[in-house]
Amino acid sequence: MKYLPLVLANLGRHKRRTILTITSVALALFLFASLQTVVTTIANAANVGSVRRLVSTSATGIVFPLPISYANRLQAVPGIEAVTYANWFGGRYGDGRKFFGQFAIDPKSYLDMYPEISVQEDQKQAFVQERSAALVGKGLMNAFGWKLGQNVTLQGTIYPGDWTFTIRGTYTPTAASITDDMMFFHHDYLDERTGRQGLVGWYVARIDHPDRAATIAKTIDDQFKNSSYPSKTGTEQAFNASFATMWGNVSLLMGTIGMAVVFAILLVSANAMMMSARERTREVAILKTIGFGDTTLFGVVMLEAAVIAVTGAVIGLGGAKVLYKATHFSGGGFLPGFDVTGTTLALGSAVAIVLMIASGAVPAIRAARLPVISALRQVE
């Protein structure tokens, strides 16, 4: 490390180029960490969910509804302890730039089904008792500056018109699989405004034992097999995994783009390092003349590459880790638990090491092998 001052002096000779090179490395690793986290978040989504909860959707597709009358028939199935239901709303607030999930639910049964949605008891009761009330995540409240008791109006897209709700409660998720930027309101309110169609998006059932999940799911689907609304039932984990499968090509795309970006930045960084080494041919000759050995010069050039790669990695990878953690980023609710994992940081660090070797090896070998006479003649 005794040559570190010499390395820092060399890097400081062209401050603008050094800063731009470090910035390009940091940006490449930031993008790599971000895109890789999209892939890991989607993959993790397939592993979350209670093993005691089953989800029933229309056998035709999740966008097709089921009759609300199924609730009582599901409750009567042996092994089912509780049933609730929900419906996607799909409205927008204000200019619609910030997307967030809105769900019409049966308040009491839904909150009982999901203890991961933590609500103060007085606010929970206020939400349950008022049909036009809304329950909003803490993150969403902060994002819009909403307050308890405030009326907010959404513009419906699937269900046209203005929909005004009164915020009666805020929730805090106790599991990473649930985001704090969602909004819940009464399904009764939606059903009333849409002419009492009596339809829901999906059912969630809590069963008495995970080992009976397959049997109970088959019983449910057999019950509605010959009806106008056949169902498809599976565990909550399988339900989440189906979304991960839908995102499969996106994961491949994210990984491919991430590697392409890193490779492109690697070429830029390698070019900047080589350019810097070529400009110092005379300096290399002088250092050899005063006694610097080939191995020492090789190490000095590699140390320059290491300083750039490590500084860029700390800024890029550390910035991604801190930024997404501090802002509770969730991709508008589609990527709950979005967080740069230790594996991603380790992979990014490995990329930085490869970047250091690839960008520093060629100029370092050239500096080590450069004959003094040839270098001085080249300068002349």
Side-chain angles (χ1 to χ4, degrees):
M1 297 299 290
K2 66 178 181 180
Y3 296 108
L4 184 59
L6 174 62
V7 169
L8 296 179
N10 290 335
L11 293 175
R13 194 172 303 165
H14 298 284
K15 292 186 176 64
R16 182 178 300 173
R17 182 166 61 196
T18 301
I19 291 173
L20 289 176
T21 304
I22 292 176
T23 302
S24 65
V25 173
L27 180 60
L29 293 175
F30 178 85
L31 292 175
F32 173 81
S34 302
L35 295 174
Q36 186 65 24
T37 303
V38 172
V39 176
T40 57
T41 302
I42 292 172
N44 290 338
N47 300 318
V48 299
S50 172
V51 295
R52 289 186 58 197
R53 288 197 290 253
L54 298 180
V55 178
S56 295
T57 62
S58 170
T60 309
I62 192 172
V63 297
F64 296 95
L66 293 171
I68 198 170
S69 59
Y70 280 11
N72 291 333
R73 298 175 66 178
L74 287 172
Q75 189 68 64
V77 174
I80 289 182
E81 296 179 341
V83 175
T84 189
Y85 50 84
N87 204 96
W88 172 255
F89 181 67
R92 65 179 184 181
Y93 178 73
D95 58 10
R97 291 182 178 179
K98 177 172 177 55
F99 173 84
F100 59 94
Q102 310 115 34
F103 300 91
I105 62 173
D106 179 57
K108 189 174 185 314
S109 63
Y110 196 87
L111 294 179
D112 289 343
M113 182 70 70
Y114 288 94
E116 303 97 319
I117 300 175
S118 177
V119 188
Q120 291 184 19
E121 187 58 31
D122 57 334
Q123 295 182 16
K124 178 180 177 180
Q125 293 305 320
F127 170 60
V128 170
Q129 292 171 8
E130 184 175 336
R131 188 158 54 179
S132 61
L135 178 66
V136 181
K138 187 177 179 180
L140 193 59
M141 293 283 283
N142 293 334
F144 286 119
W146 291 343
K147 300 182 183 305
L148 282 177
Q150 179 179 342
N151 290 333
V152 295
T153 300
L154 305 184
Q155 289 77 47
T157 54
I158 301 174
Y159 306 98
D162 290 340
W163 297 71
T164 300
F165 305 96
T166 305
I167 301 175
R168 293 304 183 194
T170 62
Y171 74 87
T172 303
T174 59
S177 57
I178 296 179
T179 68
D180 63 354
D181 58 356
M182 295 188 292
M183 177 179 181
F184 300 99
F185 62 92
H186 289 226
H187 184 275
D188 268 356
Y189 185 50
L190 173 68
D191 197 38
E192 181 185 64
R193 291 261 324 246
T194 54
R196 293 293 181 187
Q197 296 180 348
L199 299 172
V200 302
W202 60 89
Y203 285 97
V204 183
R206 185 173 63 241
I207 59 177
D208 56 359
H209 199 285
D211 292 343
R212 300 186 62 193
T215 303
I216 295 174
K218 186 175 185 306
T219 302
I220 293 172
D221 291 341
D222 287 346
Q223 185 175 186
F224 306 122
K225 186 176 182 178
N226 297 317
S227 70
S228 301
Y229 297 92
S231 64
K232 180 182 179 182
T233 304
T235 63
E236 193 173 59
Q237 288 184 344
F239 180 72
N240 292 332
S242 66
F243 279 101
T245 302
M246 291 169 61
W247 286 67
N249 290 335
V250 175
S251 299
L252 177 62
L253 181 63
M254 293 293 107
T256 304
I257 293 176
M259 292 310 299
V261 169
V262 171
F263 184 71
I265 300 300
L266 185 149
L267 295 178
V268 173
S269 302
N271 182 61
M273 289 295 297
M274 292 177 185
M275 185 184 301
S276 176
R278 280 198 301 273
E279 290 176 352
R280 297 210 304 274
T281 301
R282 180 180 181 185
E283 179 184 321
V284 170
I286 294 174
L287 290 175
K288 285 194 172 185
T289 303
I290 63 176
F292 276 70
D294 294 345
T295 304
T296 302
L297 285 174
F298 179 88
V300 168
V301 177
M302 287 301 296
L303 188 55
E304 285 186 26
V307 170
I308 291 175
V310 170
T311 305
V314 170
I315 297 174
L317 298 176
K321 177 69 177 179
V322 173
L323 178 65
Y324 294 129
K325 191 75 173 179
T327 58
H328 303 287
F329 178 79
S330 65
F334 282 107
L335 297 170
F338 191 90
D339 186 28
V340 181
T341 64
T343 303
T344 297
L345 292 177
L347 194 57
S349 299
V351 171
I353 293 174
V354 173
L355 184 66
M356 177 196 73
I357 296 174
S359 62
V362 173
I365 293 173
R366 183 175 179 274
R369 293 180 175 177
L370 186 66
V372 176
I373 299 300
S374 301
L376 292 176
R377 183 179 297 122
Q378 182 178 341
V379 172
E380 290 173 355

mmCIF file of all heavy atoms in Angstrom, residues 227-263:
data_model
loop_
_atom_site.group_PDB
_atom_site.id
_atom_site.type_symbol
_atom_site.label_atom_id
_atom_site.label_comp_id
_atom_site.label_asym_id
_atom_site.label_seq_id
_atom_site.Cartn_x
_atom_site.Cartn_y
_atom_site.Cartn_z
ATOM 1 N N SER A 227 -70.681 -25.844 -13.319
ATOM 2 C CA SER A 227 -71.457 -24.603 -13.210
ATOM 3 C C SER A 227 -71.039 -23.622 -14.315
ATOM 4 O O SER A 227 -70.137 -23.910 -15.109
ATOM 5 C CB SER A 227 -71.215 -23.965 -11.834
ATOM 6 O OG SER A 227 -69.881 -23.471 -11.778
ATOM 7 N N SER A 228 -71.708 -22.479 -14.331
ATOM 8 C CA SER A 228 -71.354 -21.449 -15.314
ATOM 9 C C SER A 228 -70.054 -20.745 -14.953
ATOM 10 O O SER A 228 -69.461 -20.059 -15.775
ATOM 11 C CB SER A 228 -72.479 -20.405 -15.395
ATOM 12 O OG SER A 228 -73.686 -21.028 -15.765
ATOM 13 N N TYR A 229 -69.632 -20.922 -13.703
ATOM 14 C CA TYR A 229 -68.408 -20.278 -13.237
ATOM 15 C C TYR A 229 -67.490 -21.319 -12.588
ATOM 16 O O TYR A 229 -67.379 -21.378 -11.369
ATOM 17 C CB TYR A 229 -68.732 -19.173 -12.225
ATOM 18 C CG TYR A 229 -69.558 -18.027 -12.782
ATOM 19 C CD1 TYR A 229 -70.953 -18.057 -12.693
ATOM 20 C CD2 TYR A 229 -68.952 -16.934 -13.363
ATOM 21 C CE1 TYR A 229 -71.722 -17.008 -13.188
ATOM 22 C CE2 TYR A 229 -69.708 -15.875 -13.866
ATOM 23 C CZ TYR A 229 -71.096 -15.922 -13.780
ATOM 24 O OH TYR A 229 -71.854 -14.884 -14.269
ATOM 25 N N PRO A 230 -66.843 -22.168 -13.382
ATOM 26 C CA PRO A 230 -65.923 -23.160 -12.808
ATOM 27 C C PRO A 230 -64.727 -22.452 -12.171
ATOM 28 O O PRO A 230 -64.335 -21.369 -12.598
ATOM 29 C CB PRO A 230 -65.500 -23.998 -14.018
ATOM 30 C CG PRO A 230 -65.702 -23.101 -15.186
ATOM 31 C CD PRO A 230 -66.893 -22.255 -14.857
ATOM 32 N N SER A 231 -64.182 -23.084 -11.142
ATOM 33 C CA SER A 231 -63.090 -22.458 -10.400
ATOM 34 C C SER A 231 -61.771 -23.208 -10.581
ATOM 35 O O SER A 231 -61.744 -24.370 -11.008
ATOM 36 C CB SER A 231 -63.438 -22.396 -8.905
ATOM 37 O OG SER A 231 -63.551 -23.718 -8.389
ATOM 38 N N LYS A 232 -60.710 -22.526 -10.238
ATOM 39 C CA LYS A 232 -59.383 -23.134 -10.226
ATOM 40 C C LYS A 232 -58.743 -22.767 -8.886
ATOM 41 O O LYS A 232 -58.539 -21.594 -8.583
ATOM 42 C CB LYS A 232 -58.524 -22.597 -11.372
ATOM 43 C CG LYS A 232 -57.129 -23.186 -11.403
ATOM 44 C CD LYS A 232 -56.314 -22.573 -12.552
ATOM 45 C CE LYS A 232 -54.905 -23.134 -12.577
ATOM 46 N NZ LYS A 232 -54.091 -22.531 -13.654
ATOM 47 N N THR A 233 -58.452 -23.774 -8.090
ATOM 48 C CA THR A 233 -57.990 -23.536 -6.720
ATOM 49 C C THR A 233 -56.592 -24.098 -6.515
ATOM 50 O O THR A 233 -56.267 -25.184 -6.993
ATOM 51 C CB THR A 233 -58.954 -24.182 -5.711
ATOM 52 O OG1 THR A 233 -60.281 -23.688 -5.941
ATOM 53 C CG2 THR A 233 -58.539 -23.872 -4.281
ATOM 54 N N GLY A 234 -55.786 -23.357 -5.797
ATOM 55 C CA GLY A 234 -54.435 -23.796 -5.454
ATOM 56 C C GLY A 234 -53.961 -23.090 -4.207
ATOM 57 O O GLY A 234 -54.643 -22.198 -3.678
ATOM 58 N N THR A 235 -52.794 -23.453 -3.726
ATOM 59 C CA THR A 235 -52.263 -22.776 -2.548
ATOM 60 C C THR A 235 -51.875 -21.344 -2.897
ATOM 61 O O THR A 235 -51.678 -21.002 -4.061
ATOM 62 C CB THR A 235 -51.023 -23.510 -2.010
ATOM 63 O OG1 THR A 235 -50.001 -23.457 -3.006
ATOM 64 C CG2 THR A 235 -51.340 -24.955 -1.685
ATOM 65 N N GLU A 236 -51.768 -20.527 -1.867
ATOM 66 C CA GLU A 236 -51.385 -19.139 -2.088
ATOM 67 C C GLU A 236 -49.996 -19.054 -2.704
ATOM 68 O O GLU A 236 -49.717 -18.199 -3.545
ATOM 69 C CB GLU A 236 -51.422 -18.372 -0.762
ATOM 70 C CG GLU A 236 -51.339 -16.875 -0.921
ATOM 71 C CD GLU A 236 -51.553 -16.152 0.383
ATOM 72 O OE1 GLU A 236 -50.778 -16.382 1.343
ATOM 73 O OE2 GLU A 236 -52.513 -15.364 0.477
ATOM 74 N N GLN A 237 -49.106 -19.977 -2.298
ATOM 75 C CA GLN A 237 -47.772 -20.002 -2.881
ATOM 76 C C GLN A 237 -47.833 -20.337 -4.370
ATOM 77 O O GLN A 237 -47.125 -19.747 -5.181
ATOM 78 C CB GLN A 237 -46.893 -21.013 -2.145
ATOM 79 C CG GLN A 237 -46.483 -20.563 -0.747
ATOM 80 C CD GLN A 237 -45.539 -21.536 -0.077
ATOM 81 O OE1 GLN A 237 -45.408 -22.675 -0.512
ATOM 82 N NE2 GLN A 237 -44.896 -21.095 0.988
ATOM 83 N N ALA A 238 -48.682 -21.303 -4.734
ATOM 84 C CA ALA A 238 -48.828 -21.660 -6.144
ATOM 85 C C ALA A 238 -49.432 -20.495 -6.927
ATOM 86 O O ALA A 238 -49.070 -20.252 -8.086
ATOM 87 C CB ALA A 238 -49.709 -22.899 -6.275
ATOM 88 N N PHE A 239 -50.358 -19.770 -6.281
ATOM 89 C CA PHE A 239 -50.979 -18.603 -6.907
ATOM 90 C C PHE A 239 -49.912 -17.539 -7.213
ATOM 91 O O PHE A 239 -49.853 -16.988 -8.316
ATOM 92 C CB PHE A 239 -52.043 -18.041 -5.964
ATOM 93 C CG PHE A 239 -52.770 -16.832 -6.492
ATOM 94 C CD1 PHE A 239 -53.697 -16.940 -7.519
ATOM 95 C CD2 PHE A 239 -52.536 -15.586 -5.943
ATOM 96 C CE1 PHE A 239 -54.369 -15.830 -7.994
ATOM 97 C CE2 PHE A 239 -53.202 -14.472 -6.402
ATOM 98 C CZ PHE A 239 -54.122 -14.593 -7.431
ATOM 99 N N ASN A 240 -49.044 -17.288 -6.222
ATOM 100 C CA ASN A 240 -47.961 -16.315 -6.444
ATOM 101 C C ASN A 240 -46.973 -16.828 -7.476
ATOM 102 O O ASN A 240 -46.421 -16.061 -8.264
ATOM 103 C CB ASN A 240 -47.242 -16.033 -5.124
ATOM 104 C CG ASN A 240 -48.116 -15.294 -4.140
ATOM 105 O OD1 ASN A 240 -49.004 -14.549 -4.537
ATOM 106 N ND2 ASN A 240 -47.889 -15.492 -2.853
ATOM 107 N N ALA A 241 -46.712 -18.146 -7.452
ATOM 108 C CA ALA A 241 -45.773 -18.725 -8.413
ATOM 109 C C ALA A 241 -46.273 -18.583 -9.839
ATOM 110 O O ALA A 241 -45.482 -18.442 -10.773
ATOM 111 C CB ALA A 241 -45.542 -20.196 -8.093
ATOM 112 N N SER A 242 -47.603 -18.602 -10.022
ATOM 113 C CA SER A 242 -48.152 -18.441 -11.367
ATOM 114 C C SER A 242 -47.829 -17.066 -11.919
ATOM 115 O O SER A 242 -47.568 -16.895 -13.102
ATOM 116 C CB SER A 242 -49.667 -18.661 -11.354
ATOM 117 O OG SER A 242 -50.317 -17.643 -10.609
ATOM 118 N N PHE A 243 -47.821 -16.038 -11.017
ATOM 119 C CA PHE A 243 -47.417 -14.707 -11.458
ATOM 120 C C PHE A 243 -45.945 -14.698 -11.835
ATOM 121 O O PHE A 243 -45.535 -14.057 -12.795
ATOM 122 C CB PHE A 243 -47.680 -13.684 -10.354
ATOM 123 C CG PHE A 243 -49.104 -13.240 -10.303
ATOM 124 C CD1 PHE A 243 -49.978 -13.747 -9.369
ATOM 125 C CD2 PHE A 243 -49.587 -12.303 -11.209
ATOM 126 C CE1 PHE A 243 -51.301 -13.348 -9.318
ATOM 127 C CE2 PHE A 243 -50.903 -11.885 -11.173
ATOM 128 C CZ PHE A 243 -51.774 -12.414 -10.228
ATOM 129 N N ALA A 244 -45.118 -15.426 -11.045
ATOM 130 C CA ALA A 244 -43.691 -15.483 -11.358
ATOM 131 C C ALA A 244 -43.465 -16.126 -12.716
ATOM 132 O O ALA A 244 -42.586 -15.721 -13.478
ATOM 133 C CB ALA A 244 -42.952 -16.267 -10.275
ATOM 134 N N THR A 245 -44.278 -17.139 -13.049
ATOM 135 C CA THR A 245 -44.155 -17.778 -14.354
ATOM 136 C C THR A 245 -44.508 -16.799 -15.466
ATOM 137 O O THR A 245 -43.873 -16.764 -16.518
ATOM 138 C CB THR A 245 -45.079 -18.999 -14.429
ATOM 139 O OG1 THR A 245 -44.734 -19.898 -13.370
ATOM 140 C CG2 THR A 245 -44.931 -19.704 -15.754
ATOM 141 N N MET A 246 -45.541 -15.975 -15.198
ATOM 142 C CA MET A 246 -45.938 -14.976 -16.186
ATOM 143 C C MET A 246 -44.804 -13.981 -16.438
ATOM 144 O O MET A 246 -44.653 -13.452 -17.518
ATOM 145 C CB MET A 246 -47.182 -14.226 -15.706
ATOM 146 C CG MET A 246 -48.438 -15.077 -15.678
ATOM 147 S SD MET A 246 -49.790 -14.261 -14.820
ATOM 148 C CE MET A 246 -50.000 -12.811 -15.821
ATOM 149 N N TRP A 247 -43.988 -13.742 -15.397
ATOM 150 C CA TRP A 247 -42.891 -12.797 -15.518
ATOM 151 C C TRP A 247 -41.626 -13.461 -16.035
ATOM 152 O O TRP A 247 -40.578 -12.819 -16.101
ATOM 153 C CB TRP A 247 -42.572 -12.170 -14.152
ATOM 154 C CG TRP A 247 -43.562 -11.170 -13.694
ATOM 155 C CD1 TRP A 247 -44.855 -11.406 -13.333
ATOM 156 C CD2 TRP A 247 -43.366 -9.775 -13.519
ATOM 157 N NE1 TRP A 247 -45.474 -10.252 -12.953
ATOM 158 C CE2 TRP A 247 -44.583 -9.220 -13.055
ATOM 159 C CE3 TRP A 247 -42.277 -8.927 -13.712
ATOM 160 C CZ2 TRP A 247 -44.727 -7.876 -12.792
ATOM 161 C CZ3 TRP A 247 -42.435 -7.580 -13.430
ATOM 162 C CH2 TRP A 247 -43.654 -7.068 -12.979
ATOM 163 N N GLY A 248 -41.681 -14.740 -16.374
ATOM 164 C CA GLY A 248 -40.482 -15.478 -16.727
ATOM 165 C C GLY A 248 -39.652 -14.820 -17.808
ATOM 166 O O GLY A 248 -38.448 -14.642 -17.645
ATOM 167 N N ASN A 249 -40.236 -14.441 -18.908
ATOM 168 C CA ASN A 249 -39.486 -13.813 -19.991
ATOM 169 C C ASN A 249 -38.938 -12.452 -19.577
ATOM 170 O O ASN A 249 -37.902 -12.022 -20.075
ATOM 171 C CB ASN A 249 -40.379 -13.676 -21.228
ATOM 172 C CG ASN A 249 -40.666 -15.023 -21.852
ATOM 173 O OD1 ASN A 249 -39.884 -15.959 -21.683
ATOM 174 N ND2 ASN A 249 -41.784 -15.133 -22.538
ATOM 175 N N VAL A 250 -39.684 -11.763 -18.692
ATOM 176 C CA VAL A 250 -39.201 -10.476 -18.209
ATOM 177 C C VAL A 250 -37.912 -10.674 -17.411
ATOM 178 O O VAL A 250 -36.971 -9.896 -17.524
ATOM 179 C CB VAL A 250 -40.277 -9.798 -17.342
ATOM 180 C CG1 VAL A 250 -39.733 -8.509 -16.742
ATOM 181 C CG2 VAL A 250 -41.523 -9.523 -18.162
ATOM 182 N N SER A 251 -37.857 -11.742 -16.610
ATOM 183 C CA SER A 251 -36.648 -12.028 -15.838
ATOM 184 C C SER A 251 -35.461 -12.249 -16.764
ATOM 185 O O SER A 251 -34.354 -11.741 -16.529
ATOM 186 C CB SER A 251 -36.866 -13.270 -14.971
ATOM 187 O OG SER A 251 -37.915 -13.059 -14.058
ATOM 188 N N LEU A 252 -35.679 -13.017 -17.821
ATOM 189 C CA LEU A 252 -34.612 -13.257 -18.786
ATOM 190 C C LEU A 252 -34.185 -11.954 -19.442
ATOM 191 O O LEU A 252 -32.994 -11.685 -19.625
ATOM 192 C CB LEU A 252 -35.084 -14.257 -19.844
ATOM 193 C CG LEU A 252 -34.084 -14.565 -20.974
ATOM 194 C CD1 LEU A 252 -32.819 -15.194 -20.400
ATOM 195 C CD2 LEU A 252 -34.726 -15.485 -22.007
ATOM 196 N N LEU A 253 -35.171 -11.117 -19.771
ATOM 197 C CA LEU A 253 -34.876 -9.835 -20.409
ATOM 198 C C LEU A 253 -34.067 -8.942 -19.467
ATOM 199 O O LEU A 253 -33.084 -8.317 -19.879
ATOM 200 C CB LEU A 253 -36.190 -9.141 -20.805
ATOM 201 C CG LEU A 253 -36.059 -7.790 -21.505
ATOM 202 C CD1 LEU A 253 -35.333 -7.945 -22.827
ATOM 203 C CD2 LEU A 253 -37.433 -7.173 -21.724
ATOM 204 N N MET A 254 -34.485 -8.889 -18.188
ATOM 205 C CA MET A 254 -33.772 -8.065 -17.223
ATOM 206 C C MET A 254 -32.317 -8.526 -17.085
ATOM 207 O O MET A 254 -31.383 -7.718 -17.061
ATOM 208 C CB MET A 254 -34.465 -8.144 -15.851
ATOM 209 C CG MET A 254 -35.843 -7.528 -15.796
ATOM 210 S SD MET A 254 -35.837 -5.734 -15.998
ATOM 211 C CE MET A 254 -36.508 -5.609 -17.648
ATOM 212 N N GLY A 255 -32.113 -9.842 -16.963
ATOM 213 C CA GLY A 255 -30.765 -10.371 -16.833
ATOM 214 C C GLY A 255 -29.911 -10.079 -18.050
ATOM 215 O O GLY A 255 -28.731 -9.700 -17.932
ATOM 216 N N THR A 256 -30.494 -10.210 -19.227
ATOM 217 C CA THR A 256 -29.746 -9.957 -20.463
ATOM 218 C C THR A 256 -29.361 -8.492 -20.590
ATOM 219 O O THR A 256 -28.207 -8.159 -20.919
ATOM 220 C CB THR A 256 -30.599 -10.369 -21.676
ATOM 221 O OG1 THR A 256 -30.976 -11.735 -21.534
ATOM 222 C CG2 THR A 256 -29.799 -10.200 -22.967
ATOM 223 N N ILE A 257 -30.330 -7.596 -20.296
ATOM 224 C CA ILE A 257 -30.041 -6.162 -20.374
ATOM 225 C C ILE A 257 -28.969 -5.783 -19.363
ATOM 226 O O ILE A 257 -28.048 -5.005 -19.654
ATOM 227 C CB ILE A 257 -31.332 -5.345 -20.136
ATOM 228 C CG1 ILE A 257 -32.313 -5.557 -21.298
ATOM 229 C CG2 ILE A 257 -31.011 -3.869 -19.973
ATOM 230 C CD1 ILE A 257 -33.649 -4.877 -21.093
ATOM 231 N N GLY A 258 -29.088 -6.344 -18.141
ATOM 232 C CA GLY A 258 -28.108 -6.042 -17.102
ATOM 233 C C GLY A 258 -26.699 -6.401 -17.522
ATOM 234 O O GLY A 258 -25.769 -5.596 -17.370
ATOM 235 N N MET A 259 -26.500 -7.588 -18.079
ATOM 236 C CA MET A 259 -25.173 -8.015 -18.496
ATOM 237 C C MET A 259 -24.678 -7.196 -19.685
ATOM 238 O O MET A 259 -23.489 -6.883 -19.797
ATOM 239 C CB MET A 259 -25.191 -9.505 -18.849
ATOM 240 C CG MET A 259 -25.428 -10.417 -17.648
ATOM 241 S SD MET A 259 -24.347 -10.054 -16.241
ATOM 242 C CE MET A 259 -22.742 -10.356 -16.968
ATOM 243 N N ALA A 260 -25.603 -6.828 -20.575
ATOM 244 C CA ALA A 260 -25.214 -6.011 -21.732
ATOM 245 C C ALA A 260 -24.717 -4.642 -21.283
ATOM 246 O O ALA A 260 -23.719 -4.121 -21.804
ATOM 247 C CB ALA A 260 -26.399 -5.861 -22.689
ATOM 248 N N VAL A 261 -25.410 -4.054 -20.291
ATOM 249 C CA VAL A 261 -25.005 -2.746 -19.779
ATOM 250 C C VAL A 261 -23.622 -2.830 -19.136
ATOM 251 O O VAL A 261 -22.744 -1.996 -19.374
ATOM 252 C CB VAL A 261 -26.046 -2.232 -18.763
ATOM 253 C CG1 VAL A 261 -25.506 -1.009 -18.019
ATOM 254 C CG2 VAL A 261 -27.351 -1.880 -19.459
ATOM 255 N N VAL A 262 -23.432 -3.862 -18.312
ATOM 256 C CA VAL A 262 -22.138 -4.018 -17.638
ATOM 257 C C VAL A 262 -21.023 -4.213 -18.665
ATOM 258 O O VAL A 262 -19.933 -3.629 -18.545
ATOM 259 C CB VAL A 262 -22.188 -5.212 -16.661
ATOM 260 C CG1 VAL A 262 -20.795 -5.527 -16.129
ATOM 261 C CG2 VAL A 262 -23.121 -4.885 -15.504
ATOM 262 N N PHE A 263 -21.266 -5.016 -19.680
ATOM 263 C CA PHE A 263 -20.245 -5.266 -20.700
ATOM 264 C C PHE A 263 -19.897 -3.989 -21.448
ATOM 265 O O PHE A 263 -18.723 -3.707 -21.718
ATOM 266 C CB PHE A 263 -20.754 -6.329 -21.680
ATOM 267 C CG PHE A 263 -19.739 -6.717 -22.721
ATOM 268 C CD1 PHE A 263 -18.619 -7.471 -22.389
ATOM 269 C CD2 PHE A 263 -19.903 -6.320 -24.044
ATOM 270 C CE1 PHE A 263 -17.680 -7.815 -23.347
ATOM 271 C CE2 PHE A 263 -18.970 -6.664 -25.009
ATOM 272 C CZ PHE A 263 -17.856 -7.425 -24.662
#
